[in-house]
Amino acid sequence: MRERPIRRGFVREAGLAIAPLLALLAVLPLLYNNQLLLLNAVVFLVLAQGLNLTYGFSGYLPFGYVGFFGAGAYGFALATLHAAAPPLAAVLAGGLAAGLAGLLLAPLLRLQGAYFGLASLAAAEALRHTIANPDLEALTGGPYGVRLDVPYAPRLTYGLALAILGLTMGVVAFLRHSRFGLRLRAARDNPISAATAGIDVVRGRLTVWLVSATAAGLIGAVFAWSAPTFFPDAVFDISFSIFAIVFTLFGGAGTLLGPVIGVAVLYGTYTAIGVSAPQYFQLVYGLLIMALVMFFPDGLAGIRMPWRRRDD
Amino acid sequence: MLTYALLTGLIFGLYFGLVGLGMNLVFGVMRIVNLAHGDVLMLGAFTAFWLMRVAAVSPVLTVIGSFVLFFAIGIPVYYALVPRLQRSREPEMLSLILFFGLSQVIEAVMSMLFGNNERSIPSRILGGGPVPVLGQTIPFAWLCAAAVSVGLFCATYLYLYHTRLGRQTRAIMAQREEAVTIGVDVNRVSAVAFGLGTGLAAVAGVFAPFMLGSFTPSIGVPIDLVSFAIVVIGSLGNPLGTILGGAIYGVCLMLMRTYLSSFADLLPNLVLILVLLVRPTGLLGRRVRHA
Amino acid sequence: MTDAAPLLEASGVVKRFGGFTALDGVDLTVRRGEIVGLIGPNGSGKTTLINVISGLLPADAGTIRLAGVSLAGLAPHRRCAAGVNRTFQVPKPFASLSVRENLEVAALDGVDIDAVLASVELDAHARRRVGDLNSVSQKLLDLARALVTRPSLLLVDELACGLNPVELDRVAGRLRALAAEGIGLVVVEHLMSFIDSITDRVVVMNAGREIFGGRLRDAVRDAAVVEVFLGAPEPAAA
């Protein structure tokens, strides 16, 4: 597919949205001393934007998105444990592991709608059960998890997480303003006429899928670095998928700032009330999900403000 | 060993067929995936717990009572959620999210009210001890579950093929648009199907404590996956095919538990993926092939 | 590519759906600059043939060549690149994109999108969302989207249905102009007056086979054709 010169919109979004957001996140640790919470917020930002890539631009909603996160965390762990890889190389290994998992699961893209959503969830579960298999304890640590001996480097891991966030959001902005992105949206609207209009639907979707998987893997690896003791059930927790889906839907899929707003509002609420009473939070979440689907299927971005110009 | 695995596999398979039956009926009629299915099943298990263990109600009454109760609950839930969902842009996909939300609400409320402790019901409550079948000893409760499943499959068959409403249900399953044009009240028929789906899930839930050993408010999501796998194996949208899916799944599960136990948890997931890939459903799956 | 070969040369095309044979050994040849009408009762296989030629359905047997080059095994987007494009009986626009974006995604480099939009009189709606267009405009958009890929073979599936006489005239003129540029067209249509006004030659299909090939005025006198249409005579054929 020939690419036109990147449109001005991309530069505008990169300059007016991504750069300020990254700058804000970069200075936040100076103002707010709960580093772990900030890192987790960035982790969710990356996961939400990564999911935004597949759902917002190709229409696939992977309930098993957490599988790539877990694959990244375990890619990092196994590279550190068995290959004695330095942490930075191990992070790349995590991204690669998730990318490979994405490639392995690429046949799932043949499925549609709910079939795809549930099949991807099943795939993530299969991966979790494989890693947690007691018979594989020597290799993966089995259900007892892993304990890694990596240097504690909060600034580096946070900076790395920000870099991954910047890259992922850059891809989102690129898709919003490039012909490739337009073609993906066309394929999402109608794959059949997209194919007859000369669009390589399969290649486009596969590309986005792999980028999205790799983003989750990279951030999973950074997560593993910052929390070097973890269990399969923790990094393959389906809540990661659900949070990413809800954050994205809340703000509006296919937008650049929607998922950011979703994380800011909802993760903020979660940290305010959720940690002490997870059930209450689960209840609020469940109700919120239902309300979103019933009343705002396009998220906050879909609410027509009287002063907002319709642009598409 | 092999006989035991095959026999229990078949018995569990019949039960698993019942687990998936309601979900398949709902999908067949409404083209939506009810991810709250597993949570209704969990509610059925709680109902059984209170009725049979706490209030000492007879098992037969418990089965009938929970079916009627959850049938009645299903109807208003249908009217509250589904018609609006059907008018949306992509009902099938959004149903996944909507009913996941409902599932979370149910799970949260139940764990707030009753905690996350594992609960179980002693199987002697159903009366009768282990029964010798083909030289194997099978708990009486398992046989009850299998028998009730078979009974409910027969009842579903009679409903679909020998009642007016059931014939209309099949008309909608076959051709939704045409069913409307020949004067079928889609909403009414769908509401009943949804109620039946909920009721069947609750009955499956009544036997869950015996078949799964114990239950907690959080068994919903794993059950959904198992149920979806069974439904897909047996052919999505064809309720009576669910019994085949259940049987295949049950036998595979018991063989895995017997010979490869550490991989048994992988089974529903792998089966689901494999079946979907080998027999992909949906227009796109056939037309736009993946290289 | 050789200029001697016909533009489209389909021979012995077979397509089965389970036990039902939708195409039972169909031959179809189209030369450059020629408009071939494809007519026949509902279910006779016209749209299936177009789906097979455009690559949406794989053929079970037979060969399809474009300018002498086999299209076997090519996915729809590759056939588009090779020069085959089509419109749909029920238009399939990209509903969340604007009218102009619908063409931008498909256009080859150097195609004047605005000129194509103007040629189907959609230029005034360029910035509108397609979902807001009426069905006639959506059909014309389908046609425009096919044109910006610069096809050498254009398959037009029931474009005329729903158009008023003025619009019909314009579309007929547009299709004739395309043929004059050297594009080969296959036009599936029920409206016989429309077919008559643009085609040199018609192929009549029934039950997956060609039962007549030649001029329309001869077709209406052909016994086999008359028999096929007897159950449902086309009012417009009179």
Side-chain angles (χ1 to χ4, degrees):
Chain A
M1 288 178 208
R2 277 172 302 275
E3 248 347 298
R4 282 180 193 173
I6 294 171
R7 296 181 191 182
R8 263 181 302 164
F10 171 74
V11 179
R12 196 179 64 219
E13 286 198 341
L16 293 182
I18 302 178
L21 177 72
L22 290 180
L24 175 70
L25 287 168
V27 298
L28 266 184
L30 305 174
L31 309 170
Y32 184 73
N33 62 7
N34 191 339
Q35 307 281 327
L36 186 63
L37 193 129
L38 285 177
L39 180 72
N40 281 343
V42 176
V43 166
F44 278 116
L45 279 171
V46 172
L47 288 179
Q49 293 288 7
L51 188 113
N52 189 22
L53 284 174
T54 57
Y55 183 56
F57 296 92
S58 62
Y60 287 96
L61 188 59
F63 265 60
Y65 192 50
V66 64
F68 299 128
F69 181 78
Y74 268 91
F76 179 87
L78 298 188
T80 314
L81 285 175
H82 299 299
L88 277 175
V91 168
L92 292 180
L96 189 67
L100 287 177
L103 202 57
L104 193 68
L105 297 182
L108 295 185
L109 294 174
R110 287 197 307 205
L111 307 172
Q112 271 188 304
Y115 300 89
F116 174 83
L118 289 171
S120 78
L121 180 56
E125 286 288 288
L127 191 57
R128 172 167 75 95
H129 285 303
T130 306
I131 284 174
N133 190 329
D135 288 355
L136 296 178
E137 195 191 332
L139 183 66
T140 64
Y144 318 107
V146 288
R147 179 162 310 180
L148 304 175
D149 185 21
V150 285
Y152 175 66
R155 286 195 179 173
L156 184 55
T157 45
Y158 187 70
L160 212 50
L162 286 186
I164 296 165
L165 176 63
L167 283 175
T168 313
M169 290 185 72
V171 176
V172 172
F174 170 73
L175 290 187
R176 284 170 54 76
H177 296 286
S178 65
R179 189 157 182 235
F180 180 63
L182 197 61
R183 292 184 149 209
L184 280 173
R185 279 167 56 205
R188 183 195 163 151
D189 277 357
N190 196 319
I192 291 172
S193 55
T196 60
I199 298 171
D200 190 341
V201 177
V202 170
R203 200 181 71 170
R205 288 173 172 177
L206 185 62
T207 308
V208 173
W209 175 242
L210 292 181
V211 171
S212 167
T214 308
L218 287 171
I219 203 67
V222 170
F223 182 84
W225 187 355
S226 67
T229 303
F230 58 85
F231 301 93
D233 287 359
V235 292
F236 285 101
D237 187 347
I238 186 198
S239 313
F240 279 107
S241 299
I242 302 309
F243 277 22
I245 290 172
V246 177
F247 294 155
T248 305
L249 283 182
F250 181 81
T255 66
L256 182 65
L257 287 179
V260 177
I261 293 167
V263 172
V265 175
L266 299 180
Y267 191 67
T269 325
Y270 172 72
T271 48
I273 64 166
V275 183
S276 55
Q279 286 93 354
Y280 287 96
F281 192 68
Q282 189 180 30
L283 176 66
V284 173
Y285 245 66
L287 290 173
L288 183 71
I289 292 173
M290 294 177 72
L292 279 175
V293 173
M294 296 289 278
F295 304 110
F296 309 106
D298 294 320
L300 292 183
I303 301 172
R304 296 249 172 263
M305 302 293 182
W307 62 86
R308 254 184 54 163
R309 204 168 56 87
R310 274 182 73 168
D311 55 348
D312 237 285
Chain B
M1 275 273 266
L2 183 65
T3 322
Y4 182 78
L6 291 176
L7 186 64
T8 54
L10 200 62
I11 290 171
F12 266 77
L14 293 174
Y15 172 71
F16 280 132
L18 177 62
V19 169
L21 177 60
M23 182 187 254
N24 207 354
L25 184 66
V26 168
F27 184 87
V29 176
M30 282 149 259
R31 300 282 142 186
I32 58 176
V33 180
N34 180 2
L35 275 189
H37 185 78
D39 293 271
V40 175
L41 195 141
M42 176 266 289
L43 291 176
F46 268 94
T47 313
F49 180 82
W50 290 315
L51 289 182
M52 286 199 282
R53 185 163 177 184
V54 179
V57 174
S58 85
V60 175
L61 267 181
T62 303
V63 168
I64 296 172
S66 55
F67 180 82
V68 172
L69 175 66
F70 282 92
F71 176 81
I73 292 176
I75 303 276
V77 172
Y78 170 86
Y79 280 107
L81 299 182
V82 182
R84 191 178 173 97
L85 184 69
Q86 300 280 22
R87 287 194 297 271
S88 70
R89 200 161 16 98
E90 28 183 15
E92 188 187 301
M93 183 82 102
L94 289 177
S95 74
L96 211 59
I97 307 171
L98 177 67
F99 284 96
F100 181 81
L102 180 61
S103 136
Q104 293 300 292
V105 171
I106 298 174
E107 187 182 324
V109 170
M110 291 305 279
S111 52
M112 272 186 238
L113 293 177
F114 306 105
N116 278 314
N117 303 329
E118 296 208 341
R119 285 179 163 76
S120 59
I121 309 177
S123 59
R124 61 182 141 69
I125 220 160
L126 294 179
V131 182
V133 183
L134 298 175
Q136 310 290 328
T137 313
I138 306 292
F140 179 67
W142 293 7
L143 292 176
C144 287
V148 169
S149 304
V150 171
L152 285 173
F153 267 94
C154 294
T156 307
Y157 170 79
L158 289 177
Y159 170 71
L160 288 176
Y161 286 83
H162 294 282
T163 68
R164 197 177 128 77
L165 212 54
R167 279 191 288 267
Q168 294 183 339
T169 310
R170 284 193 297 131
I172 295 177
M173 286 196 273
Q175 263 299 336
R176 192 183 179 85
E177 281 72 28
E178 279 179 31
V180 179
T181 62
I182 58 169
V184 173
D185 182 347
V186 173
N187 254 332
R188 184 161 149 267
V189 175
S190 302
V192 172
F194 194 87
L196 289 176
T198 331
L200 289 169
V203 174
V206 169
F207 290 97
F210 310 108
M211 304 306 278
L212 310 177
S214 65
F215 63 97
T216 70
S218 60
I219 59 172
V221 173
I223 296 241
D224 283 324
L225 271 182
V226 169
S227 179
F228 193 74
I230 290 165
V231 165
V232 167
I233 303 169
S235 166
L236 200 54
N238 171 12
L240 298 173
T242 321
I243 201 161
L244 178 72
I248 293 173
Y249 178 78
V251 170
C252 289
L253 182 70
M254 285 306 166
L255 287 174
M256 289 280 273
R257 282 207 184 142
T258 311
Y259 298 104
L260 254 177
S261 65
S262 73
F263 289 91
D265 287 340
L266 267 180
L267 184 75
N269 305 302
L270 288 185
V271 168
L272 176 59
I273 295 170
L274 283 179
V275 172
L276 281 176
L277 288 181
V278 175
R279 280 184 41 196
T281 320
L283 196 72
L284 188 69
R286 295 209 185 92
R287 284 207 176 157
V288 178
R289 266 156 211 260
H290 198 278
Chain C
M1 279 197 212
T2 53
D3 280 345
L7 178 63
L8 173 74
E9 206 177 5
S11 64
V13 177
V14 174
K15 178 69 202 170
R16 296 186 198 91
F17 297 107
F20 173 68
T21 305
L23 296 177
D24 193 4
V26 175
D27 302 333
L28 182 66
T29 304
V30 181
R31 289 183 296 277
R32 287 177 181 74
E34 184 186 29
I35 303 180
V36 176
L38 194 55
I39 58 182
N42 286 329
S44 58
K46 302 172 308 252
T47 296
T48 306
L49 183 59
I50 287 194
N51 284 341
V52 168
I53 297 173
S54 58
L56 288 182
L57 294 173
D60 293 316
T63 57
I64 298 170
R65 291 169 177 280
L66 188 74
V69 181
S70 171
L71 296 178
L74 289 188
H77 67 275
R78 299 235 179 271
R79 296 193 189 205
C80 170
V84 180
N85 216 317
R86 62 171 295 170
T87 70
F88 291 90
Q89 198 174 346
V90 177
K92 296 186 193 298
F94 307 125
S96 72
L97 272 51
S98 75
V99 169
R100 195 173 193 284
E101 282 173 331
N102 262 265
L103 302 196
E104 280 174 36
V105 291
L108 292 186
D109 283 347
V111 170
D112 187 345
I113 293 173
D114 297 304
V116 175
L117 269 181
S119 77
V120 293
E121 291 169 37
L122 283 174
D123 42 339
H125 303 301
R127 295 186 65 85
R128 283 176 72 183
R129 217 194 247 258
V130 179
D132 303 338
L133 293 184
N134 65 31
S135 67
V136 169
S137 298
Q138 291 194 4
K139 285 189 160 207
L140 294 173
L141 181 64
D142 245 25
L143 177 64
R145 188 178 60 201
L147 292 179
V148 295
T149 67
R150 289 206 177 125
S152 53
L153 175 69
L154 183 62
L155 312 166
V156 181
D157 196 357
E158 296 199 21
L159 185 65
C161 172
L163 271 59
N164 68 36
V166 180
E167 289 162 340
L168 274 179
D169 266 359
R170 260 187 228 140
V171 168
R174 185 81 190 107
L175 295 184
R176 278 194 299 262
L178 291 173
E181 291 168 24
I183 297 178
L185 289 98
V186 176
V187 179
V188 172
E189 200 51 69
H190 283 293
L191 207 58
M192 291 306 152
S193 56
F194 182 74
I195 284 283
D196 194 35
S197 71
I198 58 171
T199 59
D200 318 307
R201 184 160 71 84
V202 297
V203 169
V204 184
M205 287 183 68
N206 185 42
R209 291 168 176 276
E210 176 182 336
I211 56 167
F212 176 87
R215 290 187 305 178
L216 183 63
R217 75 183 65 143
D218 299 327
V220 296
R221 289 190 209 100
D222 183 273
V225 174
V226 170
E227 191 191 324
V228 162
F229 280 99
L230 204 62
E234 296 283 331

